Amino acid sequence: MTSRLEDLAAQALKNGWASGSGSLASLRLNAGAMGWNEVTFRRTDPPVTSLRPLDTAAAKPNSLSSRYGMGVQPLHTDGAHLPEPPDFVLLMMEETSQVPTLLWKAKIIDYQRLSYLDLQHGVFLVNNGGESFFRTAASGLDLCYDPGCMDPCDERSRRAAAFFADAAKSAVEHHWDEPGKVLLINNRRVLHARAAAESEPDREITRIAFSVGEGSE
């Protein structure tokens, strides 16, 4: 498996995601050399965060865990509550896990269906504390959706939410079957989720997100 972020990025741009191995420190150095900027999801968060399964009572408001707890998460975009979500999300697990990450990428035919108009024109209210705003779930080929913070405001957006709920049936499982695996997700084109984690309450995954600097592709 590759450990170079440049190679992972090339694969993720082409296929939607890429799996490899490597240390977080070296991958962050690669990202800096490529002109990528680290993204924080909340003002008080560091760029590198550890994600663990949480029950609904312990989760932050408007997070997926606050609604779904340790059960199966719905497909979503990381940073959908931000005006500009990150371009890439890097996940890393030091140990192995029986709980897979679920990945879904739209097929060309999805963009050609009438239902895609719902994604382009259905209006969602993004709950972002005191800075809430409106957005659609699609802009060109880019997708952005998170039912934890995006509430449908019209019939088209309700159909768009149903579209993503149905898409979860065809999600691909990424298995954390080797220590030190990394997964780079093209966060603008691929939605992801976590399978049910009740059986692994101590599961821990490291996450860091990046916005792509001008000319770094």
Side-chain angles (χ1 to χ4, degrees):
M1 294 187 292
T2 183
S3 60
R4 285 167 43 91
L5 187 61
E6 297 92 333
D7 297 332
L8 292 171
Q11 293 177 32
L13 284 170
K14 180 180 179 181
N15 302 319
W17 62 84
S19 180
S21 62
S23 72
L24 186 62
S26 64
L27 291 167
R28 292 179 78 183
L29 285 173
N30 288 165
M34 294 165 64
W36 289 16
N37 300 307
E38 297 179 355
V39 175
T40 56
F41 291 96
R42 291 178 175 84
R43 291 187 179 92
T44 57
D45 286 348
V48 180
T49 54
S50 294
L51 305 177
R52 292 187 176 185
L54 297 172
D55 59 33
T56 55
K60 294 179 179 179
N62 293 328
S63 67
L64 291 177
S65 293
S66 70
R67 297 193 181 189
Y68 302 94
M70 296 188 182
V72 179
Q73 290 181 343
L75 293 173
H76 63 279
T77 301
D78 272 9
H81 64 286
L82 301 173
E84 289 294 331
D87 297 295
F88 290 95
V89 171
L90 181 70
L91 303 178
M92 181 177 183
M93 187 171 289
E94 295 287 350
E95 307 296 332
T96 61
S97 171
Q98 297 298 312
V99 179
T101 295
L102 310 176
L103 301 157
W104 178 83
K105 178 184 178 182
K107 300 177 181 178
I108 294 298
I109 192 172
D110 291 320
Y111 295 108
Q112 298 170 341
R113 289 173 174 159
L114 288 176
S115 58
Y116 192 71
L117 293 175
D118 295 330
L119 277 63
Q120 289 181 307
H121 301 291
V123 177
F124 291 86
L125 174 64
V126 181
N127 296 298
N128 190 7
E131 301 176 355
S132 298
F133 58 95
F134 296 100
R135 78 167 355 129
T136 61
S139 176
L141 298 179
D142 288 350
L143 300 173
C144 182
Y145 178 66
D146 183 342
C149 66
M150 292 172 60
D151 294 328
C153 297
D154 56 24
E155 186 59 32
R156 278 185 161 176
S157 56
R158 285 187 282 273
R159 291 198 300 261
F163 172 89
F164 288 122
D166 187 65
K169 300 173 185 177
S170 58
V172 174
E173 294 185 351
H174 170 78
H175 294 280
W176 301 98
D177 51 3
E178 295 180 23
K181 285 185 78 171
V182 299
L183 175 66
L184 185 69
I185 302 172
N186 184 342
N187 196 50
R188 297 294 186 117
R189 301 291 173 84
V190 171
L191 274 63
H192 68 282
R194 186 207 66 216
E198 292 96 340
S199 62
E200 286 190 30
D202 295 326
R203 178 185 188 267
E204 183 174 2
I205 196 163
T206 299
R207 178 183 68 181
I208 184 167
F210 300 98
S211 63
V212 174
E214 184 177 353
S216 61
E217 290 190 19

